[in-house]
């Protein structure tokens, strides 16, 4: 199966292409999945990563996908019903250190940047950071080879203008829960892969996992925002619990000050 097998329902089709560019990066540094795996997709958006896992394992997988924003969850749930053969559970809340309600900024025209950590006060700085990342991705052949020939200053202008849509934001009050409560409630007895992509809230997600549940986690991949500031903290969370840990950052991620932490038993 290829990543194009499932033609997912989406809010903005361009985002599906963008997310598909990123999916392969999660399966590196020893992270592997076998048929019958249980996977937690934390920060699922509409389910692109979940689709990659489902296709990779020919549907022999159990996926729990977390998406707190109502418009995204509705699309994720529809994808789950239409394409995942009953193997995906779309959960309508996010994960955090404790049970709570948080204000999330939702960008209808660029949903992948929605976050509890972005608001009207920092959105311009965020737009510049995301622009730098997209420009670097294009320079390295992502999103179509034709764009590579456009001079960098012009490219930055084009991408920056496209991302002005980040100024259009809605605020949604959403529920967040600790992961341990969900593991108990769903009777999840092992986690073959914990994937976390939550736009800045990754440490909060990890703090919601109680000591009694850490042995259930076999592998994790966490996208870390504020890489220089938070990389070592996230790495230490896993190293202290007996994982072999790799921290990696490619040039596209470096431009956005993000990176990936891979943890394997």
């Amino acid at each position: 199966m290829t990543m194009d097998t499932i033609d997912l329902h989406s809010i903005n089709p361009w985002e599906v292409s963008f997310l598909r560019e990123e999916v392969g990066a999660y399966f590196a540094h020893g992270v592997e999945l076998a048929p019958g795996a249980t996977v937690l997709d934390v920060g699922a958006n509409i389910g692109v990563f979940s689709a990659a896992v489902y296709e990779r394992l020919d549907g022999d997988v159990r996926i729990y996908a977390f998406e707190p924003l109502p418009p995204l969850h509705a699309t994720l749930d529809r994808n789950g019903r239409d394409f995942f053969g009953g193997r995906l559970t779309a959960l309508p809340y996010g994960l955090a250190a404790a049970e709570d309600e948080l204000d999330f900024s939702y960008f209808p025209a660029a949903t992948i940047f929605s976050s509890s950590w972005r608001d009207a006060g920092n959105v311009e700085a965020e737009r510049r950071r995301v622009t730098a990342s997209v420009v670097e991705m294009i320079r390295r052949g992502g999103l179509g080879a034709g764009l590579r020939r456009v001079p960098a200053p012009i490219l930055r202008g084009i991408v920056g203008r496209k991302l002005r849509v980040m100024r259009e934001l809605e605020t949604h009050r959403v529920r967040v829960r600790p992961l341990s409560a969900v593991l108990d409630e769903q009777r999840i007895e092992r986690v073959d892969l914990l994937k976390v992509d939550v736009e800045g809230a990754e440490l909060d997600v990890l703090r919601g996992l109680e000591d009694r549940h850490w042995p259930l986690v076999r592998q994790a991949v966490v996208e870390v925002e504020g890489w220089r500031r938070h990389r070592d903290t996230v790495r230490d969370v896993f190293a202290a619990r007996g994982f072999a840990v790799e921290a990696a950052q490619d040039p596209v991620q470096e431009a956005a000050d993000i990176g990936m932490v891979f943890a394997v038993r």
Side-chain angles (χ1 to χ4, degrees):
M1 285 180 154
T2 69
M3 255 311 285
D4 293 322
T5 304
I6 298 178
D7 187 14
L8 293 168
H9 306 300
S10 63
I11 293 173
N12 301 306
W14 71 267
E15 293 183 289
V16 177
S17 302
F18 186 86
L19 291 169
R20 280 180 175 156
E21 292 269 345
E22 296 186 328
V23 161
Y26 287 93
F27 298 99
H29 299 281
V31 172
E32 296 175 353
L33 286 173
T38 297
V39 175
L40 272 53
D41 184 356
V42 185
N45 197 273
I46 63 162
V48 173
F49 177 80
S50 291
V53 168
Y54 184 83
E55 291 169 346
R56 205 176 183 94
L57 299 181
D58 286 330
D60 188 3
V61 63
R62 192 80 195 82
I63 302 170
Y64 296 87
F66 298 78
E67 181 48 62
L69 283 158
L72 289 170
H73 177 266
T75 308
L76 172 67
D77 190 48
R78 185 182 172 203
N79 282 327
R81 291 194 310 272
D82 288 356
F83 302 120
F84 286 84
R87 299 303 184 102
L88 182 141
T89 301
L91 297 165
Y93 43 78
L95 294 181
E99 186 80 39
D100 204 354
E101 286 191 348
L102 299 176
D103 286 333
F104 269 64
S105 292
Y106 172 67
F107 304 96
T111 71
I112 54 176
F113 305 122
S114 302
S115 172
S116 62
W117 292 74
R118 294 191 177 113
D119 56 33
N122 65 16
V123 72
E124 278 305 311
E126 285 292 282
R127 190 169 67 90
R128 287 193 295 273
R129 184 181 67 79
V130 172
T131 297
S133 172
V134 174
V135 168
E136 188 62 31
M137 179 186 286
I138 291 168
R139 286 186 61 241
R140 292 176 180 275
L143 304 178
L147 288 168
R148 290 177 72 179
R149 292 189 290 275
V150 178
I154 295 172
L155 206 51
R156 275 195 297 275
I158 294 168
V159 174
R161 281 194 296 279
K162 289 283 185 191
L163 288 175
R164 281 182 189 155
V165 295
M166 287 180 69
R167 292 173 182 166
E168 300 158 23
L169 66 87
E170 301 170 2
T171 301
H172 290 262
R173 190 83 173 161
V174 306
R175 184 185 185 193
V176 292
R177 307 185 64 197
L179 178 52
S180 277
V182 180
L183 295 179
D184 286 340
E185 189 178 278
Q186 299 287 336
R187 297 195 172 110
I188 297 170
E189 295 178 353
R190 75 171 197 275
V191 178
D192 295 293
L193 179 60
L194 170 64
K195 168 263 185 186
V196 181
D197 180 2
V198 288
E199 305 298 315
E202 39 281 343
L203 279 167
D204 278 351
V205 171
L206 299 176
R207 288 175 183 136
L209 193 58
E210 297 170 20
D211 288 343
R212 66 192 172 96
H213 280 135
W214 273 101
L216 304 185
V217 180
R218 309 310 305 162
Q219 303 177 109
V221 183
V222 181
E223 183 180 282
V224 180
E225 291 215 6
W227 180 248
R228 290 182 288 274
R229 215 165 50 252
H230 299 306
R231 171 194 58 202
D232 292 342
T233 310
V234 173
R235 188 164 50 189
D236 291 349
V237 167
F238 290 101
R241 290 169 174 86
F243 290 83
V245 187
E246 296 275 351
Q249 185 186 54
D250 65 28
V252 174
Q253 293 166 335
E254 186 177 357
D257 193 28
I258 62 175
M260 310 281 272
V261 169
F262 300 82
V264 179
R265 289 281 180 200

